[in-house]
Amino acid sequence: MLEKIKKIKNEAIVNILKTDSIAELENLRINYLGKKSEFNQILKGLKDLNEEEKKAVGPEANKAKKDIQDALEKRIDDLEEMVDTEKEWIDVTAPGKKIKRGHLHPITIVQRDIEDIFTSMGFEIADGPEVESEFYNFDAVNVPEEHPGRDMQDTFWISKEEGREKGTGTVLRTQTSSVQVRYMQTHKPPFRIIIPGRVFRQEATDASHEHTFHQFEALVVGKKVSVANFLYIAETFFSQFFGKKLNVRLRPSYFPFVEPGFEFDISCTNCGGKGCSSCKQTGWLEVGGAGMVHQNVFEAAGYEKGKYQGFAWGFGLERLAMMKYKIDDIRHFHGGDVRFTRQF
Ligand code: FA5
């Protein structure tokens, strides 16, 4: 009997270890320990043995049963662990899934490009508030209350009380020129700065006009700053920005904060000046306004009148990006259509 128990136990353990399926182990449990199993018959028959035989066989039979049960449990644990490991298995040679990455908005790209070019020429970057006092946006840059220059830019007024002292209203700034006097009040010449920023105008939108857009102001002040310096810096900047040699042309114009004032054009980035549909056959593209800083502006900043000279210029960032990337409608920039922004 003892031999038989030993044989069943060994056979059961060998079969259990050979089995790779949890369902198959359940079959083995029924075969070896189930009601109809040979082993169960042996256990049932114990009662018919005499006392001495019972003492010898009983504990061996119980131990064999426990060994088979332990072997089954351990094998089940091992197989479950193997299944988990299989689930976690990584094929490091498999081609990766393409992860969608965010990217910069075209206006940010252009702004950073411009900043890089100017900082490489020794310019510093200055900043000012978008919600601005009427004083810095208009009065300080020589656009007093009754001045016709104020009508040139339609303004979003935050507060404007009739009869209040002039210059005390609050506006959404209409131009980055609003930072000129702010900066000059706390800095002494010589200096050269750029002022990138968002500006707002209460005007109807169309393919080339937005109510919210970005401007780029440059301001250079010293004792001997001239229009020739402006031309050199402008040509250097635009040539680097567009990656080809471009010329700058000045046309007389009027801005209250400069005297003399200019509109400036660059040679057409498409045809190089020969004339094409982009430049309406003129060979030139309008870029922005510029001029020599008006002495009244220096005075508003607290500088001695006549002591310094400087030039200032301002242009629209969206318009420049449109030229560079051949974008036909300014409204794409803030329209929120990812099919547009994904292209950059
Ligand atoms: C000004 O804002 C002056 N502050 C520029 C300046 C600075 C002149 C320093 C002299 C010295 P203007 O209103 O023309 O000027 O605007 C400058 C540029 O902003 C324009 O040439 C154009 O590129 C852009 N711009 C103006 N209005 C809009 C608009 N509604 N939408 C998009 N871009 C605009």
Side-chain angles (χ1 to χ4, degrees), residues 153 175 177 201 203 210 213 215 287-290 314 316 319 330:
Q153 299 169 2
Q175 52 182 356
S177 302
R201 292 190 190 176
E203 58 180 292
E210 264 288 10
F213 59 99
Q215 281 191 342
V287 180
R319 298 246 181 109
I330 196 169

Side-chain angles (χ1 to χ4, degrees), residues 153 174-175 177 180 201 203 208-211 213 215 217 255 257-258 263 287-291 312-316 319 330:
Q153 299 169 2
T174 58
Q175 52 182 356
S177 302
Q180 286 190 12
R201 292 190 190 176
E203 58 180 292
S208 53
H209 292 84
E210 264 288 10
H211 48 73
F213 59 99
Q215 281 191 342
E217 190 98 355
F255 297 94
F257 26 90
V258 284
E263 293 275 353
V287 180
W313 68 345
F315 58 79
R319 298 246 181 109
I330 196 169

Side-chain angles (χ1 to χ4, degrees), residues 158-210:
I158 302 282
S159 67
K160 186 188 190 186
E161 283 169 35
E162 292 306 323
R164 271 174 73 186
E165 204 183 318
K166 57 182 181 173
T168 55
T170 307
V171 299
L172 288 183
R173 68 177 176 193
T174 58
Q175 52 182 356
T176 43
S177 302
S178 58
V179 184
Q180 286 190 12
V181 168
R182 276 189 175 278
Y183 185 87
M184 287 196 268
Q185 280 176 334
T186 51
H187 296 79
K188 285 267 162 280
F191 60 76
R192 44 193 138 163
I193 57 167
I194 46 167
I195 310 155
R198 198 156 50 152
V199 299
F200 310 84
R201 292 190 190 176
Q202 189 168 13
E203 58 180 292
T205 58
D206 61 25
S208 53
H209 292 84
E210 264 288 10

